[in-house]
């Protein structure tokens, strides 16, 4: 072909390239002009297709059977053109005459221009140069396509991002996702604190798939196939999953990019909802603590405090029933101290021990717990509470390191308690325990105040009676036992033996006496004698755990012991002691009140002794 004709061909190809003719028109023109310039029998433009680049598509063809060839696909491995397209190495042959040039795109071979059947048996240098020029035009077309796809994808992602930002919640985002991915159904799952996925929103999902866990979802059984799966992540932490499903899977190279953009907005919405829930929980917790503090500080009467605490757990956690168990001092027993909504016989029937039932488990392990289904909870088996409720949340009542009881909330229907709800119950229990302890201390102080007045009145009456010397010791021990609520009280007088050692003898006693030989053994060495010799008080809230009992003195089975010296200007004239059959808890001690009583007891005893000596 002469040069003017060649120029006309190039001009035609460049115009088609500039005016963005369709792929079919452009590659068809390219093949036709390649055949014309090379004076060959046939020409074709083939492009690699498939994720593995293992197929050839005839994008354009000229010559015999060209109409049938256009748009067909063959295996790349089955033709010489496929080898050239995949390796990027051109191929020339004289017999039969053929020329195959690779078409490069972004530094990689993407297809080939094929011409075959020259009447001269070989292609001239001018023909080969012309073919290479057309190959360059084909490469330019592929680059333009890529730029167009990139631009279109960018515009689509921008549009998708704008639509996603307009979604007010996850349900709206699910609808946007289904439309933008051209899917039949979309499911958004959110992970809980245990990383279990729960359906949070969906669009077009069959009802059969909405009510089952993700692991049990049978997509294909419902005629659906996954077309996009995107994890929802914040950093390395996965907070959910996005699934797009369709009845007919269609290839869309941009689908994953669009799905990823939508997934990012889903993460934003999930995190926003989480922050809102956290803020609401914090506000709810602050309101709860304020209302609780107002309620319990309005009274120091223990029954009213207990009632208000139970009302607080029911109101703030929206449960129908509440129960507060207190641990009996020095015992492993838990008694129902206050309740709301329980059966009529609950107070007498619900008496359990530490470790029994779920409330006992909470006290034993000093940790809050919840059960969505009490009847199936193994911790409930030892003391079943499922007759009172279907679900339970419980938190220990703790004062310092001591657990004084447990606060429970129960529901009539099964309910899953969330971690924030469990934390709220724990917070209520912690503040309630302080209020309960304050009410207990106040009640004890009032009792001690009344007991002290009666003590002083009794001692004063004994001193003014005609038989003061004889009655004062009995009055002292009786009033001491009553004032402290002890099981036994005793008064010892001191004397010095032949070897000059201070000894004691029991002068008056009242209360429990069985198995108390350790108080005044035959050897004379006993706790009261130690108090008299040292002139110091002795306190053992738990004699079982006190190392002095079992080494210095005989170890009793259980209980608590306290003794103080009775001092005057002449020295120690006696010892006043109290004994309990059960140990005292942490923070409890008879020593302070016993010391206060001992001062008056010493004066009364000294006065009685002087009156006796004067007679």
């Amino acid at each position: 072909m002469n040069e003017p004709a060649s120029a006309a061909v190039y001009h035609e190809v460049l115009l088609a390239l500039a005016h963005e003719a369709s792929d079919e028109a452009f590659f068809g023109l390219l093949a036709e002009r390649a055949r014309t310039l090379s004076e060959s029998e046939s020409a074709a433009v083939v492009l690699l297709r498939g994720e593995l680049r293992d197929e050839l598509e005839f994008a354009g063809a000229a010559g015999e059977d060209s109409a049938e060839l256009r748009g067909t696909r063959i295996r790349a491995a089955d033709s010489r053109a496929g080898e050239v397209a995949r390796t990027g190495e051109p191929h020339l042959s004289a017999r039969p005459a053929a020329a195959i040039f690779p078409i490069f795109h972004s530094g990689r071979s993407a297809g080939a221009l094929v011409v075959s059947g020259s009447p001269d048996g070989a292609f001239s240098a001018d023909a080969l140069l012309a073919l290479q020029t057309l190959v360059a035009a084909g490469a330019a077309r592929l680059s333009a396509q890529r730029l167009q796809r990139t631009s279109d994808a960018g515009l689509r992602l921008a549009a998708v991002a704008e639509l996603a930002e307009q979604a007010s919640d996850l349900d709206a985002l699910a609808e946007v996702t289904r439309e933008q991915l051209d899917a039949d159904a979309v499911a958004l799952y959110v992970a809980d604190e245990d990383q279990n996925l729960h359906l949070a929103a969906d669009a077009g999902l069959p009802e059969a798939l909405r009510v089952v866990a993700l692991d049990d979802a049978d997509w294909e059984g419902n005629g659906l196939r996954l077309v996009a799966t995107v994890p929802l992540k914040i950093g390395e932490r996965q907070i959910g999953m996005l699934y797009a499903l369709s009845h007919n899977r269609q290839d869309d190279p941009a689908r994953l990019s669009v799905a990823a953009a939508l997934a990012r907005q889903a993460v934003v919405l999930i995190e926003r909802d989480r922050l809102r829930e956290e803020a609401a929980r914090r506000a709810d917790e602050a309101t709860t603590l304020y209302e609780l503090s107002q309620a319990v500080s309005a009274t120091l009467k223990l029954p009213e405090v207990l009632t208000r605490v139970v009302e607080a757990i029911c109101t703030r956690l929206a449960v129908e029933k509440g129960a507060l168990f207190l641990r009996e001092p020095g015992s492993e027993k838990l008694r129902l101290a206050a309740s709301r909504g329980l059966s009529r016989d609950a107070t007498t029937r619900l008496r359990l021990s530490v470790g029994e039932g779920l409330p006992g488990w909470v006290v034993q392990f000093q940790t809050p717990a919840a059960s969505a289904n009490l009847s199936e909870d193994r911790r409930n088996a030892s003391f079943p509470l499922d007759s009172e409720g279907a679900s339970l949340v419980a938190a220990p009542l703790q004062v310092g390191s001591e657990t004084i009881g447990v606060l429970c909330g129960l529901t009539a229907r099964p309910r899953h308690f969330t971690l924030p709800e469990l934390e709220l119950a724990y917070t209520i229990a912690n503040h309630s325990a302080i209020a309960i302890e304050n009410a207990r201390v106040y009640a004890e102080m009032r009792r001690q105040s009344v007991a002290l007045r009666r003590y002083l009145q009794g001692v004063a009456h004994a001193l003014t009676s005609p038989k003061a010397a004889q009655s004062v010791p009995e009055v002292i021990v009786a009033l001491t036992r009553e004032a402290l609520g002890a099981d036994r009280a005793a008064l010892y007088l001191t004397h010095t033996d032949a070897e000059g050692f201070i000894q004691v003898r029991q002068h008056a006693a009242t209360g429990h006496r069985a198995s108390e030989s350790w108080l005044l053994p035959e050897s004379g060495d006993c706790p009261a004698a130690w108090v008299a010799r040292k002139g110091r008080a002795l306190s053992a809230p738990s004699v079982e755990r006190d190392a002095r009992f079992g080494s210095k003195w005989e170890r009793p089975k259980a209980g608590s012991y306290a003794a103080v010296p009775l001092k005057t200007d002449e020295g120690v004239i006696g010892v006043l002691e109290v004994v309990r059959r059960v140990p005292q808890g942490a923070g409890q001690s008879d020593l302070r009140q016993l010391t206060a009583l001992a001062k008056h007891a010493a004066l009364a005893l000294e006065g009685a002794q002087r009156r006796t000596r004067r007679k």
Side-chain angles (χ1 to χ4, degrees):
M1 182 177 286
N2 55 38
E3 290 186 8
S6 299
V9 169
Y10 298 148
H11 178 73
E12 185 181 10
V13 171
L14 290 175
L15 283 178
L17 185 62
H19 289 106
E20 299 180 355
S22 67
D23 285 351
E24 182 180 356
F26 179 79
F27 288 118
L29 175 64
L30 200 66
E32 184 61 44
R33 296 302 172 252
R35 176 173 174 270
T36 302
L37 289 174
S38 63
E39 298 179 350
S40 58
E41 296 177 2
S42 62
V45 176
V46 293
L47 299 176
L48 288 171
R49 301 298 189 197
E51 295 181 2
L52 301 178
R53 292 164 40 96
D54 56 353
E55 292 182 333
L56 280 182
E57 179 185 356
F58 284 82
E64 188 178 357
D65 299 327
S66 60
E68 290 79 2
L69 284 176
R70 278 193 297 268
T72 61
R73 291 192 181 190
I74 63 171
R75 289 181 56 196
D78 293 341
S79 68
R80 178 73 70 176
E83 181 181 348
V84 171
R86 297 181 68 178
T87 63
E89 295 292 334
H91 171 76
L92 297 174
S93 63
R95 297 186 184 276
I100 307 174
F101 291 96
I103 301 175
F104 282 89
H105 167 51
S106 300
R108 187 182 187 188
S109 177
L113 174 61
V114 183
V115 294
S116 60
S118 172
D120 298 331
F123 296 106
S124 65
D126 290 341
L128 294 177
L129 181 60
L131 292 176
Q132 291 174 343
T133 303
L134 294 177
V135 164
R141 174 66 181 194
L142 293 180
S143 296
Q145 285 180 331
R146 182 189 180 190
L147 290 174
Q148 185 63 44
R149 286 195 300 268
T150 303
S151 176
D152 291 345
L155 292 173
R156 182 180 179 186
L157 288 177
V160 167
E162 183 176 356
L163 288 171
E165 289 178 1
Q166 294 173 1
S168 58
D169 53 32
L170 290 177
D171 287 320
L173 183 65
E175 286 290 350
V176 171
T177 303
R178 181 169 69 159
E179 294 173 4
Q180 294 302 313
L181 296 183
D182 193 22
D184 292 305
V186 166
L188 280 166
Y189 289 86
V190 175
D192 60 18
E193 54 270 12
D194 297 322
Q195 290 301 301
N196 297 316
L197 292 172
H198 303 277
L199 184 66
D202 74 280
L205 198 65
E207 184 64 25
L209 294 175
R210 298 183 72 249
V211 296
V212 299
L214 176 60
D215 293 340
D216 299 326
D218 183 11
W219 310 120
E220 294 188 2
N222 286 269
L224 294 169
R225 294 185 178 182
L226 287 171
V227 294
T229 304
V230 185
L232 308 179
K233 289 187 174 183
I234 298 178
E236 295 299 320
R237 180 169 61 93
Q238 183 170 337
I239 64 170
M241 288 292 296
L242 181 151
Y243 291 96
L245 306 109
S246 178
H247 292 292
N248 298 308
R249 182 163 184 167
Q250 300 174 353
D251 290 332
D252 183 358
R255 178 179 281 129
L256 289 180
S257 298
V258 173
L262 293 164
R264 286 192 289 270
Q265 184 60 22
V267 170
V268 172
L269 291 176
I270 292 171
E271 188 66 6
R272 184 201 66 184
D273 290 345
R274 187 193 68 79
L275 292 175
R276 283 180 178 176
E277 289 179 2
E278 180 69 13
R281 186 181 70 82
R282 296 285 185 184
D284 190 48
E285 182 176 305
T287 302
T288 297
L289 297 182
Y290 174 76
E291 292 177 352
L292 182 62
S293 63
Q294 291 292 101
V296 299
S297 62
T299 179
L300 283 172
K301 296 180 180 179
L302 185 58
E304 291 186 17
V305 171
L306 298 177
T307 299
R308 294 181 182 186
V309 168
V310 172
E311 290 176 351
I313 192 74
C314 292
T315 302
R316 304 316 304 181
L317 288 181
V319 295
E320 298 89 347
K321 302 179 181 182
L324 191 153
F325 295 88
L326 288 181
R327 188 172 187 171
E328 296 179 352
S331 170
E332 293 293 296
K333 295 293 183 182
L334 296 172
R335 65 177 179 86
L336 183 64
S339 64
R340 172 179 166 180
L342 299 186
S343 55
R344 292 183 179 180
D345 64 340
T347 302
T348 55
R349 184 172 54 82
L350 299 181
R351 294 183 63 84
L352 57 154
S353 300
V354 174
E356 287 186 339
L358 205 145
W361 185 92
V362 169
V363 175
Q364 181 179 14
F365 293 99
Q366 302 179 14
T367 184
S371 176
N373 192 335
L374 270 177
S375 62
E376 296 182 0
D377 196 316
R378 59 180 180 79
R379 296 171 295 183
N380 182 60
S382 55
F383 197 99
L385 285 178
D386 45 290
S387 61
E388 297 291 345
S391 302
L392 179 143
V393 59
L397 298 166
Q398 293 179 299
V399 178
S401 60
E402 182 182 8
T403 302
I404 65 171
V406 57
L407 180 61
C408 306
L410 297 102
T411 63
R413 296 180 179 180
R415 169 178 164 185
H416 172 74
F417 289 97
T418 64
L419 182 59
E421 287 176 327
L422 195 61
E423 291 175 349
L424 181 58
Y426 193 40
T427 301
I428 293 174
N430 283 337
H431 285 73
S432 299
I434 296 172
I436 293 169
E437 189 63 18
N438 288 340
R440 276 179 164 180
V441 171
Y442 176 74
E444 179 63 19
M445 290 176 64
R446 288 197 61 185
R447 188 191 66 78
Q448 290 178 2
S449 176
V450 171
L452 181 58
R453 282 201 306 272
R454 293 184 62 184
Y455 184 89
L456 294 176
Q457 291 170 357
V459 171
H461 178 74
L463 286 173
T464 57
S465 67
K467 298 182 179 181
Q470 293 79 16
S471 63
V472 165
E474 284 77 11
V475 169
I476 289 174
V477 295
L479 292 176
T480 298
R481 180 186 172 209
E482 181 183 357
L484 273 71
D487 294 301
R488 182 182 188 276
L491 175 66
Y492 298 87
L493 297 180
T494 61
H495 67 277
T496 304
D497 62 14
E499 298 180 358
F501 290 101
I502 296 177
Q503 302 291 347
V504 294
R505 60 182 176 83
Q506 185 173 288
H507 189 54
T510 182
H512 179 68
R513 292 176 178 273
S515 303
E516 301 293 351
S517 60
W518 60 277
L519 291 171
L520 192 63
E522 295 180 359
S523 64
D525 190 12
C526 62
W530 183 91
V531 171
R533 293 170 193 149
K534 298 293 183 179
R536 301 203 308 265
L538 174 64
S539 175
S542 174
V543 294
E544 285 183 292
R545 299 178 182 178
D546 197 307
R548 293 169 293 189
F549 291 87
S551 57
K552 285 180 176 292
W553 312 298
E554 182 182 347
R555 182 184 296 279
K557 293 181 179 179
S560 66
Y561 178 87
V564 293
L566 302 181
K567 294 182 179 180
T568 65
D569 294 338
E570 298 177 1
V572 178
I573 63 172
V575 174
L576 185 61
E577 75 175 8
V578 291
V579 177
R580 296 181 187 273
R581 283 180 287 182
V582 296
Q584 290 187 292
Q588 295 178 308
S589 175
D590 292 323
L591 191 59
R592 180 182 297 178
Q593 191 174 9
L594 189 61
T595 301
L597 298 180
K599 294 178 181 179
H600 302 284
L603 293 175
L605 185 61
E606 183 183 36
Q609 289 177 343
R610 285 177 180 175
R611 290 178 63 179
T612 300
R613 285 197 293 267
R614 281 198 297 268
K615 291 180 179 180

